[in-house]
Amino acid sequence: MQTYLLALNPTDSVSEGFLPAARRLGLHVTLLTDQPEAHRARHPDVEVLACDVRDHHAVISAISERTRSETGRAPAAVFSNSDHLQTQTALAADYFGLPGKSWHTTLRTKDKALMRRHLAAAGADTVRSAELAPGQDPTGTLGGVPFPCVVKPREGVASEDVFCVGNAEELARRCDEIRARRPGAALVVEEYLKGELHTLETLGDGERLHVLGGFRTELSPLPYFIEERMSFVASRPPSVEDQVLRQLGALGVGFGACHTEFVVDDGRVRLIEVNYRAIGDQCDLLLAELLGIPLFEHVLRTHLGEALPADLGARTDGVARLDYPCADRAGTLAAAPGPADLTVGDVKLTYRPVRKVGERLELHHTNRDFLGIVRAVGRQQESVDRVVAGFLARQSWEITP
């Protein structure tokens, strides 16, 4: 079956997760991307076509032309795991009459201002927020948003250009910084939501929604929001999980994978953002291993129109943790550990570098500062923590000016 996969830059989720899963399912994958050379270098055995994947017209045209020239190869699925391409993918799938996400939902989860307005209108939750048009002066336009507050791109992702600010002067300065890097970008300013940061990972087929568990996230000190450590949490109090699912339901989320970030403050769940795709930064690879399920195959099968089983058969006896060593300054990476696969007792640890020795590093104060990713699974949290801490203590990353 012919499957079209939309992508921007190469990612571990695609390279180590979805492409191998597609091969196991016997799918013929054509990868549409605006970075064809990068994908051809990383995926020499995959058909790669250049396409302006941010434009749904270009995506539909490319698939239509390919279908016309390849008799009998009509698309069976159109899929993406990119935050930035969910709406384009949904529109293309709908055009060709294929299973997929609602473009209304992908748009309202990607656009943080739309998400806040939709949740408030649905009576699901209200967060004090304001949207700033490109170039709009934030002074006097916050509409009751208190300090401290958070400013971020309306359609951003992860920790990119997200700042906590304490006063009007700092807000104006951060807005200028973001706009210098993102000309024409609309921004969102919203109240700072206190509480421990968590994620909920879900998988649905439009009828049935499975909760896969989630992670407790440890962040860098403010004003930045860099994810430094993730610890798997198999389940949460029903009241917490129900609140998250209720808000996801209000947004219309329920098809394929979804990665939701939220905080809990005095029992009240507040959504931070909803990423309508599988969790990244190798957390998805860890989930598949920890739960012992064909996670990536399940996601692809939903896009092929197959129903999920009532019981995924996920294991419930595992614990896990991921650590992200980060650059603390700009410079050249002069020395760094290589890949590692270790087994210590019942703990299995994997380390993969993110940056290459000799590479020039700029300091972003975001997840782009990751030097590598450590992931470990086991049966006892104490053992996993001890093995990860011991491994990191033996490693060193040298950054020279």
Side-chain angles (χ1 to χ4, degrees):
M1 291 184 285
Q2 175 66 52
T3 299
Y4 288 90
L5 193 156
L6 279 58
L8 297 173
N9 56 295
T11 64
D12 293 334
S13 295
V14 169
S15 299
E16 299 184 38
F18 289 108
L19 286 178
R23 284 192 289 270
R24 289 191 291 269
L25 292 174
L27 304 179
H28 181 276
V29 174
T30 300
L31 197 152
L32 302 180
T33 179
D34 60 355
Q35 300 180 41
E37 294 310 314
H39 283 277
R40 287 176 183 137
R42 188 161 177 177
H43 313 124
D45 58 339
V46 175
E47 181 182 37
V48 177
L49 298 181
C51 179
D52 181 7
V53 285
R54 293 181 185 270
D55 179 357
H56 68 276
H57 292 98
V59 172
I60 291 170
S61 179
I63 296 174
S64 177
E65 173 63 20
R66 189 68 174 169
T67 301
R68 184 187 67 81
S69 62
E70 294 283 346
T71 304
R73 296 291 287 275
V78 181
F79 170 75
S80 179
N81 199 53
S82 169
D83 271 304
H84 305 284
L85 304 179
Q86 292 303 316
T87 298
Q88 296 89 331
T89 302
L91 287 167
D94 185 60
Y95 180 86
F96 290 104
L98 301 172
K101 298 167 183 173
S102 159
W103 70 264
H104 301 83
T105 301
T106 61
L107 187 62
R108 72 172 64 110
T109 52
K110 177 61 176 171
D111 184 316
K112 294 171 175 59
L114 276 179
M115 184 187 81
R116 293 301 185 204
R117 289 196 290 268
H118 187 86
L119 287 174
D125 188 41
T126 299
V127 172
R128 289 172 288 182
S129 63
E131 183 176 358
L132 300 180
Q136 182 178 354
D137 185 352
T139 306
T141 62
L142 297 187
V145 179
F147 290 104
C149 61
V150 175
V151 59
K152 54 189 173 182
R154 184 185 65 190
E155 297 174 66
V157 60
S159 58
E160 296 283 344
D161 282 325
V162 182
F163 302 98
C164 183
V165 298
N167 53 56
E169 292 76 19
E170 189 178 358
L171 173 61
R173 177 167 57 86
R174 292 300 191 185
C175 286
D176 288 343
E177 290 179 14
I178 297 171
R179 286 164 170 165
R181 288 185 288 268
R182 300 171 181 252
L187 307 180
V188 170
V189 181
E190 61 186 35
E191 63 177 297
Y192 172 70
L193 302 176
K194 63 180 182 178
E196 192 174 62
L197 182 61
H198 291 266
T199 84
L200 192 73
E201 313 306 322
T202 56
L203 175 64
D205 59 13
E207 298 292 334
R208 177 181 291 112
L209 187 67
H210 290 284
V211 174
L212 305 178
F215 294 88
R216 184 179 70 256
T217 306
E218 297 180 39
L219 297 172
S220 63
L222 297 175
Y224 308 108
F225 295 88
I226 309 169
E227 297 169 349
E228 296 184 336
R229 178 174 299 134
M230 309 276 281
S231 300
F232 181 71
V233 179
S235 62
R236 293 179 175 82
S239 61
V240 170
E241 188 174 293
D242 289 347
Q243 288 182 68
V244 178
L245 295 177
R246 190 159 55 247
Q247 293 187 50
L248 291 179
L251 290 168
V253 170
F255 187 92
C258 187
H259 161 56
T260 304
E261 299 180 3
F262 65 96
V263 296
V264 182
D265 180 26
D266 196 24
R268 181 184 179 188
V269 167
R270 320 295 300 279
L271 296 191
I272 300 297
E273 64 180 35
V274 177
N275 306 117
Y276 207 177
R277 43 80 177 165
I279 188 172
D281 292 327
Q282 298 194 13
C283 290
D284 47 359
L285 302 175
L286 179 143
L287 266 182
E289 178 183 8
L290 179 69
L291 301 179
I293 62 173
L295 174 61
F296 300 98
E297 287 92 330
H298 280 320
V299 176
L300 291 175
R301 286 182 185 278
T302 64
H303 287 266
L304 292 167
E306 299 183 23
L308 290 168
D311 185 352
L312 296 178
R315 287 168 34 191
T316 60
D317 59 345
V319 298
R321 166 175 156 176
L322 298 99
D323 276 66
Y324 302 102
C326 289
D328 58 1
R329 59 192 180 276
T332 298
L333 185 61
D341 294 278
L342 307 174
T343 300
V344 181
D346 65 353
V347 177
K348 181 179 179 182
L349 181 146
T350 301
Y351 173 74
R352 293 292 180 265
V354 173
R355 300 289 193 170
K356 296 179 181 179
V357 172
E359 186 174 351
R360 175 68 189 180
L361 308 178
E362 302 299 332
L363 193 61
H364 301 282
H365 298 293
T366 74
N367 293 6
R368 283 194 287 166
D369 295 328
F370 289 173
L371 297 172
I373 300 175
V374 180
R375 64 180 197 260
V377 299
R379 294 289 178 266
Q380 300 292 329
Q381 193 66 54
E382 182 181 357
S383 299
V384 168
D385 292 342
R386 183 175 62 254
V387 170
V388 172
F391 174 81
L392 289 171
R394 296 190 298 272
Q395 312 308 314
S396 63
W397 293 262
E398 182 181 344
I399 300 174
T400 58

